[in-house]
């Protein structure tokens, strides 16, 4: 049994430090990328409030393919450069979208999603996956959320590559 819990009322930066540390502990010594992505998606869900979707898309030739996640069933394949996820993967840049309806080419997987944060996961100089967080609240994510998920991506990259 794993019992990772976010500290109540902790500052956001502290919650993200705990999230990254918990993720590191979970993936350490485990070589299976799917198992690791599944546990990390569950951890994000537990640590980050006000989400309706959290999980991974993995880089494949020319496209992203759905990985482990929590939320409603989602689009399986996203061409690189399309939508928020495909833009993050192709550019290698975090995408922080305050209002998905204003993002040209946004791909609606869950009609409830109003804002979105997508962070590329880099390993050996390549984007191997993206971490995608959706919220039903407009403007849910800020620079601290982006920095927190970027730190998480760095902490786990080597343990999810190849999945
Ligand atoms: N909205 C994303 C698609 C993935 S879902 O949000 C889970 C996009 O535009 O890439």
């Amino acid at each position: 049994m794993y019992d990772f819990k976010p500290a109540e009322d902790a500052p956001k930066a502290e919650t993200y430090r705990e999230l990254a540390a918990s993720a590191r502990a979970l993936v350490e010594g485990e070589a299976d990328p799917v198992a690791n992505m599944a546990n990390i998606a569950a951890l994000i869900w537990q640590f980050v409030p006000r989400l309706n979707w959290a999980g991974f898309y993995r880089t494949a030739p020319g496209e992203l393919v759905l990985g482990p996640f929590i939320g409603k069933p989602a689009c399986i394949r996203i061409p690189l450069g399309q939508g928020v996820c495909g833009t993050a993967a192709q550019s290698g840049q975090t995408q922080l979208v305050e209002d998905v309806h204003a993002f040209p080419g946004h791909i609606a997987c869950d009609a409830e999603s109003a804002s979105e944060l997508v962070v590329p996961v880099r390993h050996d100089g390549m984007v191997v996956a993206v971490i995608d967080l959706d919220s039903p609240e407009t403007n849910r994510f800020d620079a601290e959320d982006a920095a927190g998920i970027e730190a998480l991506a760095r902490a786990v990259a080597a343990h999810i590559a190849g999945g």
Side-chain angles (χ1 to χ4, degrees):
M1 186 183 92
Y2 297 108
D3 199 12
F4 296 109
K5 270 201 209 92
E8 274 172 41
D9 298 329
K12 205 154 46 163
E14 175 56 29
T15 301
Y16 278 113
R17 270 194 294 278
E18 280 183 43
L19 170 59
S22 304
R24 231 182 254 117
L26 263 177
V27 301
E28 209 174 69
E30 177 50 65
D32 189 295
V34 175
N36 287 335
M37 285 187 274
N39 262 339
I40 295 159
L43 267 187
I44 294 171
W45 193 256
Q46 206 180 352
F47 276 72
V48 185
R50 294 150 35 222
L51 302 180
N52 60 308
W53 202 94
F56 290 86
Y57 278 89
R58 298 158 298 130
T59 308
E63 63 183 355
L64 292 171
V65 184
L66 183 63
F69 67 93
I70 312 272
K72 287 190 182 161
C75 328
I76 298 170
R77 292 174 188 274
I78 298 176
L80 289 181
Q82 289 191 23
V84 187
C85 292
T87 301
Q90 191 171 60
S91 66
Q93 303 292 314
T94 293
Q95 302 293 308
L96 203 166
V97 181
E98 293 177 4
D99 176 2
V100 295
H101 305 294
F103 186 96
H106 165 253
I107 300 165
C109 290
D110 180 346
E112 222 197 315
S113 299
S115 59
E116 187 160 357
L117 172 64
V118 183
V119 171
V121 182
R122 275 195 208 77
H123 183 63
D124 280 346
M126 313 253 292
V127 176
V128 295
V130 300
I131 301 176
D132 181 16
L133 273 58
D134 286 30
S135 173
E137 294 173 23
T138 304
N139 208 4
R140 157 68 183 83
F141 305 105
D142 62 16
E144 245 183 329
D145 295 293
I149 299 298
E150 286 167 354
L152 174 68
R154 285 193 296 274
V156 301
H159 297 270
I160 65 160

